[in-house]
Amino acid sequence: MEQLSGLASSFSRSTKPCAYRMKTIRLGTKVTYEDGLKHQDAAVDDILQHSGEETLFLLEHAPVYTIGRLRDQSSLGDPSLLPAPVHETNRGGQATYHGPGQLVGYPVLDLRERNRDLHAHLRVGEDRGQPGGVEAL
C-alpha cells in the first residue's frame, strides 16, 4: 500500500500548492474495457462540473486488445483471428493486449489544477510502473 500511496502523491504535484490526495477505486477483475471507460468518463464529467475529485482506477480487464485511431493498424494482424475482442480507443499508439493478471491504473486528473504537460504526467506514471511501483502491489 505504501507504493500505491507514493503513486497517488506523485500525481498530486501541482503548479500551485495542494493538500489533497487522489481517491483510489479498485474496480476488480474481468472488467470490460467499456465498463472501465464508463467509470473514467463519469469521473471526468464530475471533475468538469466541479463535483468530483481526481481518481485512480485500478482494475484487471477481461481479455481485450486496444488500438489507437491510426491509419496503420497492422500491429493487430487479422482481428478475426484474435482470441479477444478489439476496442478502438481515442489515443494514439499500436495494439495493446489487456487481460487477467495485468494490473492497470487509469488516473483521472484535473489538469486545470496542475501542470498541463500531459506527457510529464505520463512519464511519472510510467516511472512508477517499474519494479517496485504499482506493478509490485
Side-chain angles (χ1 to χ4, degrees):
M1 291 302 170
E2 179 179 323
Q3 292 155 338
L4 180 58
S5 171
L7 176 66
S9 66
S10 292
F11 283 116
S12 294
R13 292 194 180 105
S14 174
T15 55
K16 64 182 185 178
C18 62
Y20 57 88
R21 291 197 169 271
M22 182 182 298
K23 176 172 66 173
T24 301
I25 297 177
R26 291 173 177 83
L27 295 177
T29 61
K30 299 181 183 175
V31 177
T32 66
Y33 191 83
E34 293 80 6
D35 285 345
L37 195 55
K38 286 178 189 175
H39 286 282
Q40 294 170 66
D41 288 343
V44 168
D45 290 344
D46 289 347
I47 286 174
L48 291 174
Q49 296 172 20
H50 302 285
S51 62
E53 58 187 303
E54 295 185 320
T55 304
L56 174 64
F57 293 99
L58 295 175
L59 59 113
E60 292 180 32
H61 281 295
V64 65
Y65 291 90
T66 59
I67 184 78
R69 296 179 186 262
L70 302 174
R71 287 186 181 175
D72 177 15
Q73 296 191 353
S74 62
S75 63
L76 278 175
D78 181 352
S80 68
L81 300 176
L82 295 173
V86 176
H87 185 87
E88 190 173 279
T89 69
N90 62 358
R91 62 167 173 77
Q94 295 295 316
T96 304
Y97 172 79
H98 301 285
Q102 179 189 42
L103 177 64
V104 180
Y106 294 108
V108 177
L109 306 174
D110 186 350
L111 296 182
R112 298 173 300 188
E113 300 296 323
R114 336 172 142 262
N115 176 349
R116 290 181 181 241
D117 182 353
L118 177 61
H119 291 99
H121 294 288
L122 292 172
R123 283 189 294 279
V124 168
E126 288 169 349
D127 290 345
R128 294 292 180 159
Q130 298 304 313
V134 172
E135 291 176 357
L137 292 177

